[in-house]
Amino acid sequence: GFGLLMAAGSGVVSFVVGQPFMTGQWWAEIPGIGKAGTVLIFDIGVYLVVFGTTMMILVGLMGERD
């Protein structure tokens, strides 16, 4: 749930500054990573959604056997 909130929230930032939804906003340069901004937040959010979904599927497959 948190990953989905992060991904959606990264798009809302552009509304606050008066640009279209999901327009990338850049803030700072991080050594070793590159420019940080809403695109990085969106990517981390999508990663968390995919990771969480994969873990839920794997836990469901490892369920108790009758």
Side-chain angles (χ1 to χ4, degrees):
F2 182 69
L4 186 58
L5 183 65
M6 280 181 65
S10 69
V12 175
V13 173
S14 59
F15 277 142
V16 174
V17 295
Q19 293 184 342
F21 185 67
M22 296 298 284
T23 302
Q25 305 297 315
W26 304 102
W27 296 309
E29 183 81 25
I30 298 177
I33 295 177
K35 287 188 174 183
T38 57
V39 176
L40 181 62
I41 294 171
F42 177 80
D43 287 343
I44 292 171
V46 169
Y47 169 78
L48 291 174
V49 169
V50 171
F51 182 76
T53 302
T54 304
M55 289 296 110
M56 286 178 55
I57 291 170
L58 289 175
V59 167
L61 289 173
M62 293 184 341
E64 295 182 30
R65 294 186 181 192
D66 293 333

